[in-house]
Amino acid sequence: MKTQLPDKGGHFGPFGGCYAPETLMGLLLDLEKEFHKIRRDQKFRREFEFYLKEYAGRPTNLYLAKRLSAYLKTLKVYLKREDLLHTGAHKINNTLGQILVARRMGKTRIIAETGAGQHGVATATAAALFGLKCVIYMGSKDVRRQSLNVFRMKLLGAEVIPVESGSRTLKDAMNEAVRDWVTNVRDTFYIIGSVAGFHPYPVMVRTFQSVIGQEARRQFLSKEGRLPNYLVACVGGGSNAMGLFHAFYKDQSVKMIGVEAAGHGLHTHAHAATLMKGQVGVLHGSKSMLLQDKDGQVQMAHSVAAGLDYPGVGPEHAYYQKIGRAQYVAIDDKQAIAGLKLLARTEGIIPALETAHAIAYLEKLARRVRGKASVIVCLSGRGDKDMGQISQLI
Ligand SMILES: *Cc1c(COP(=O)(O)O)cnc(C)c1O
């Protein structure tokens, strides 16, 4: 089995690649060159590790959830506590990595698009840390829905530009960000928030997030003296899941499960289960699975968790699914809220609504296993950001 993926063109089997307009190709090639350089550069690695440790708070704990395990009976559950990081989720791993690349390339202006605002906040945070100018594109509908995150980004010194075109959500914000990038190539760096988009973004984001799995693998081995039976993580674009999975790729005994959002249900159109229900298509510069209608138009996704509410998914997940390396399942809005309550009451940890999908799936997994099994769950983020929404839902 190949492990050195993607290939030179950014392909993961039939997925990935770089479907970019001519005007972007030069930029992406420059970025790819720089990325290859930093991969082998000890100085870059030390700098990245310094900020992960001293600023973001790594390594995160691998915590044995005893009461949750007792409740589930057949599962011994360890939580990889990305929720304890600065800004409350795994996203900071990636934005710190990319901002260091931007600095190496001499860029002084950072742009990003954001849907719910979480990637925008993580980007604005990293930009403030290094004193770089930061512009965040956000659909005007999202600006209204996520006013608290807009306020956060502004406090951090970022400029938030509402996008009025199309459906006025994430997809349209992406288009505007790309337009900005092409226009301001010289001083601007574009930070993408998940393992999606044009090559080399999927492999670059994976590289920065794979610290999650490297730590977890080491920590689990030292606590248990063997490898876990399962890895479970929620999948929006797929960065926290790939961050956990990648270090275990060659460990064939370790089963990987990605949990998508079933929203109002897989039989409706209001879900975000891209891998389970989508078809092959191109979005944001790479070929992957995609929620689209009969005419190939990108469909609106839905999930109670804003961070899972994305019609695409990273190409490496599409590849893992195709070759059977990982299995993808879905949890609906109601089940996710039950998962959130379950973790809150058994462990005193309120997870993000995104993460709650992974927790909720444990009940199903517990019924599936024979005997006993061990599992690492990526606790991608904390629930503080969702309290307003949840108090209305419950
Ligand atoms: C953004 C987000 C996600 C979804 O993004 P991935 O790229 O799929 O990881 C999941 N959990 C939390 C807490 C998030 O903020």
Side-chain angles (χ1 to χ4, degrees), residues 87 89-96 98-99 110-127 134-138 146 149 152-153 156 158 170 173-174 177 189-195 201 205 209 239 284 306-307 354 385:
T87 67
H90 67 293
K91 285 194 172 70
I92 192 81
N93 300 324
N94 171 49
T95 51
L96 284 174
Q98 286 195 49
I99 213 136
I110 300 298
I111 59 168
E113 83 279 323
T114 195
Q118 290 150 248
H119 175 55
V121 170
T123 301
T125 299
C134 181
V135 175
I136 304 290
Y137 288 92
M138 194 169 183
Q146 304 289 338
N149 273 338
R152 279 197 187 107
M153 289 183 257
L156 290 160
L170 180 62
M174 279 176 183
F189 189 94
Y190 179 25
I191 295 189
I192 291 184
S194 193
V195 285
Y201 281 97
V205 176
Q209 291 291 4
S239 69
H284 213 189
E354 291 82 5
K385 68 180 177 58

Side-chain angles (χ1 to χ4, degrees), residues 24-220:
L24 268 185
M25 285 315 283
L27 274 178
L28 290 164
L29 286 172
D30 280 352
L31 177 59
E32 195 188 346
K33 247 197 279 171
E34 190 66 27
F35 174 61
H36 278 297
K37 256 195 265 167
I38 62 120
R39 272 181 129 175
R40 291 186 200 86
D41 185 350
Q42 281 302 321
K43 225 176 107 200
F44 181 89
R45 175 169 310 210
R46 273 199 302 275
E47 196 179 19
F48 184 42
E49 281 171 358
F50 173 85
Y51 285 103
L52 287 180
K53 176 165 178 263
E54 303 292 335
Y55 184 72
R58 302 212 73 91
T60 59
N61 301 332
L62 185 71
Y63 177 72
L64 173 58
K66 278 196 194 134
R67 293 194 63 234
L68 177 63
S69 302
Y71 168 84
L72 293 168
K73 295 191 176 74
T74 56
L75 294 179
K76 187 170 189 182
V77 181
Y78 280 89
L79 304 173
K80 183 60 176 158
R81 300 288 311 271
E82 297 299 293
D83 61 316
L84 295 178
L85 290 174
H86 178 48
T87 67
H90 67 293
K91 285 194 172 70
I92 192 81
N93 300 324
N94 171 49
T95 51
L96 284 174
Q98 286 195 49
I99 213 136
L100 292 175
V101 176
R103 283 198 344 146
R104 290 234 153 175
M105 295 177 82
K107 309 290 185 188
T108 53
R109 180 173 175 270
I110 300 298
I111 59 168
E113 83 279 323
T114 195
Q118 290 150 248
H119 175 55
V121 170
T123 301
T125 299
L129 174 64
F130 291 104
L132 302 181
K133 192 168 157 34
C134 181
V135 175
I136 304 290
Y137 288 92
M138 194 169 183
S140 61
K141 216 186 238 172
D142 291 331
V143 168
R144 243 177 299 123
R145 286 193 290 205
Q146 304 289 338
S147 56
L148 194 60
N149 273 338
V150 174
F151 181 67
R152 279 197 187 107
M153 289 183 257
K154 288 182 176 168
L155 262 186
L156 290 160
E159 182 188 354
V160 179
I161 301 185
V163 175
E164 301 289 353
S165 56
S167 57
R168 291 172 289 136
T169 58
L170 180 62
K171 192 158 55 74
D172 315 290
M174 279 176 183
N175 294 337
E176 277 313 306
V178 170
R179 209 163 293 153
D180 178 316
W181 199 25
V182 174
T183 320
N184 301 294
V185 195
R186 272 235 247 106
D187 65 344
T188 298
F189 189 94
Y190 179 25
I191 295 189
I192 291 184
S194 193
V195 285
F198 318 93
H199 176 64
Y201 281 97
V203 60
M204 181 164 69
V205 176
R206 179 191 80 194
T207 303
F208 295 141
Q209 291 291 4
S210 59
V211 63
I212 300 172
Q214 286 158 10
E215 280 177 15
R217 193 175 184 283
R218 209 164 44 234
Q219 290 166 322
F220 193 92

